[in-house]
Every structure is written in C-alpha cells, then in structure tokens.
Amino acid sequence: MTRLAYIIRPSTPPTRIIPLARAVESAGIDELWFWEDCFQTGGIATASAVLSATDRLRVGIGVLPTPLRNVALTAMEIATVDGMFPGRLVPGIGHGVQPWMAQVGAKAASPLTLMREYSTALRALLAGERVTTSGRYVSLDDVALDWPPARPVAIPVAATGPRSLRLAGEAGDGVVLEGSVGLPRLPAALARVAEGKAAAGRDGVDLPVIQFVSGGTGPTAVARLRAEFTAMDMGADVADDAGLAAYAVWGDAQALADGVRRYGEAGVDTVALQPTEDDPDLEQLISVVGAAQELLGAS
C-alpha cells in the first residue's frame, strides 16, 4: 500500500507547528514531512520538537541542504535525534536552492560532487565507521561518532535533474521528488534513478520513492492549486482540470485516496501531501487526509 503523509510547510509560523503535528497524529496519519527553505523554520529543530510532542509519528525532513552544514554536525544531530526517538526520523538531504546557497556564501561550484562526497561520508559516520577522507568539499580526519545509531538510518536524497536522479540511485537510501515532477515526469525520473542503481551495482537494493504532491479540499481548492502552479510557471500544464490532476489531488477523502493510488501504481511508495500556501483551514485538510489514509488501509 502506498503510504500517505502530510507536509507542514516551512512558512508555517513556529507557534503553529506543534498543534498541527498533534492534529496529524490524532487524524491517524502515520508520517509527517517538513522541508527547509531559507530563511524559515529549521528541519532538525522542527523534527525534534514534533517527535517530542507526539507518540508515534514518523517525521521526514525533505530535505536538509548539504551546503549549509558540515557533514560531521549533520551526522551528530541525526544520531542524537534517532537515539532519543529510534526509527522515527527520516532525514533527507539535497543540494539546496542555489540562489539561497549563494546568498549565505555556501554555494558549491559542483553540487553533484558535494552530494556524492557528503552522502558517502554521512552514511559511513551513521554506520559507526571511523572516517578519514579528503575530497573537494568534505574533509574528515579520523572522525567517528561516540553515539552512532543502534540501527541503520535511511538517508534519502532529493533530486530533480537527470544527473541528480542518477546520483540518488547511486548513493541514496531513497529519493525525494518535488511536486513539479507530478505523474507526467515520474516515469523518466524513476528511470534515471534505476540507471544510477545499476551503475553502482545496487539493482537489488530497495530505494523508497517519496513524492511531494500538492493537495487541497473545499470549494476553493482547485483555484488555489492552479494559482500556485501558475506562480511556478506551470500554468500551461494545469490549464484545465485534467492537467491539474496530473500534478495535484483535491476533493473529499475518497478523491484524495484515488489520487494517491494513481501515484502508487506509477511507482511511488510515499505520497506526502503538500497544502497550498494559502490553505484557509489546515485542520480540515488534515482531517480529510486522515480519512483518506483510512480508505487506503481498508482497500
């Protein structure tokens, strides 16, 4: 069964995050995702607070931008959070939005090289290895965590372009796809991931696919969704309802469940539903998403 998750956007005021996370858990949703946008809410801080305030939610970060953090610090933080909340954190990593990385003086000349070095070192540190490496971006001298995770922690990699998708297949423990991929671009994206897996000799490795999908409920959902995609220069793609349905799900619980099934049939393991920036009633949407997950579980 395809897993249905809910997203709290980084533009959500910090005062709203814990009440919304508790509403997600109360609605019966198993998984909650965040991501980081400069200069809004931080992923590790948010995930830690939510894990502390809930009992069973799995929390995904999709994603932590690698240029912003030394890899040893990222490993320390992930290991610490996982040690306190074993098995409940899914920390993804990505290139970051390049203009923002430049704005803070952290832009890498080769994001792919950084990601390859970073993901390799991060996975080794979290596995409890003692790491010495000297790369273009990642340098570690005899570094090992005092408190590595007791069990493996999966590190999915966010990817959009063909080379990044191949790298996710080579070096990630899964792949995070943004909402602009939709159903039309999904087959090509998964093919690139498969190419990366094959090139790295990982054909037998299971790499879960997490796809962010815009969604909504209520009488203004279609207009809000279309406006958001139009602002992303995708207006032509979503000009009619059939086009919009290739990138978004909306309506009642049954409609959301049916939309999630389409993604599952196309190869997605987790659909993380992303509300529009101007959703007028997030609690209502959470309730409908919870009902949709119940329908998915019953089918």
Side-chain angles (χ1 to χ4, degrees):
M1 182 190 82
T2 304
R3 186 190 302 269
L4 178 55
Y6 183 81
I7 291 172
I8 294 179
R9 297 176 68 132
S11 55
T12 303
T15 54
R16 291 271 281 146
I17 291 173
I18 295 302
L20 287 173
R22 287 174 171 155
V24 169
E25 183 167 64
S26 295
I29 302 166
D30 295 327
E31 199 161 292
L32 178 63
W33 280 75
F34 307 95
W35 80 82
E36 289 191 329
D37 273 350
C38 295
F39 300 94
Q40 299 177 328
T41 48
I44 291 292
T46 301
S48 300
V50 166
L51 288 165
S52 181
T54 58
D55 294 321
R56 59 169 184 78
L57 276 181
R58 293 180 79 230
V59 173
I61 306 175
V63 289
L64 300 168
T66 56
L68 284 177
R69 293 178 179 80
N70 182 281
V71 69
L73 177 60
T74 301
M76 289 163 56
E77 291 193 318
I78 290 172
T80 300
V81 175
D82 183 76
M84 294 186 288
F85 307 100
R88 293 176 60 196
L89 179 68
V90 187
I93 56 176
H95 299 305
V97 177
Q98 296 307 297
W100 287 335
M101 299 302 100
Q103 192 176 355
V104 299
K107 183 178 179 180
S110 175
L112 286 169
T113 301
L114 170 59
M115 178 60 72
R116 182 172 283 107
E117 294 178 0
Y118 198 103
S119 60
T120 300
L122 180 60
R123 293 172 69 197
L125 289 169
L126 292 173
E129 297 177 20
R130 185 169 295 277
V131 181
T132 295
T133 184
S134 180
R136 182 175 178 183
Y137 296 104
V138 175
S139 294
L140 299 172
D141 182 11
D142 196 32
V143 176
L145 298 177
D146 281 7
W147 303 104
R151 301 174 187 82
V153 175
I155 308 293
V157 171
T160 302
R163 291 188 297 168
S164 293
L165 288 162
R166 291 189 190 97
L167 181 57
E170 292 175 24
D173 296 316
V175 59
V176 179
L177 303 174
E178 63 179 30
S180 63
V181 173
L183 288 168
R185 299 178 175 93
L186 181 59
L190 296 184
R192 301 293 86 73
V193 174
E195 289 172 4
K197 285 177 61 177
R202 306 177 75 202
D203 285 321
V205 177
D206 181 32
L207 299 185
V209 177
I210 303 103
Q211 182 156 358
F212 288 10
V213 178
S214 294
T217 191
T220 64
V222 169
R224 288 185 287 104
L225 288 162
R226 183 167 286 121
E228 193 151 282
F229 280 105
T230 299
M232 297 163 55
D233 294 326
M234 293 180 62
D237 297 290
V238 299
D240 55 27
D241 285 0
L244 184 61
Y247 294 94
V249 296
W250 69 88
D252 61 13
Q254 187 64 62
L256 295 188
D258 291 343
V260 169
R261 287 191 188 97
R262 291 198 297 272
Y263 281 90
E265 291 164 0
V268 174
D269 298 287
T270 297
V271 169
L273 191 136
Q274 174 181 316
T276 60
E277 192 79 59
D278 58 350
D279 192 296
D281 193 343
L282 294 176
E283 287 81 2
Q284 174 62 19
L285 178 58
I286 289 168
S287 176
V288 175
V289 174
Q293 178 165 287
E294 187 173 345
L295 291 172
L296 290 167
S299 61

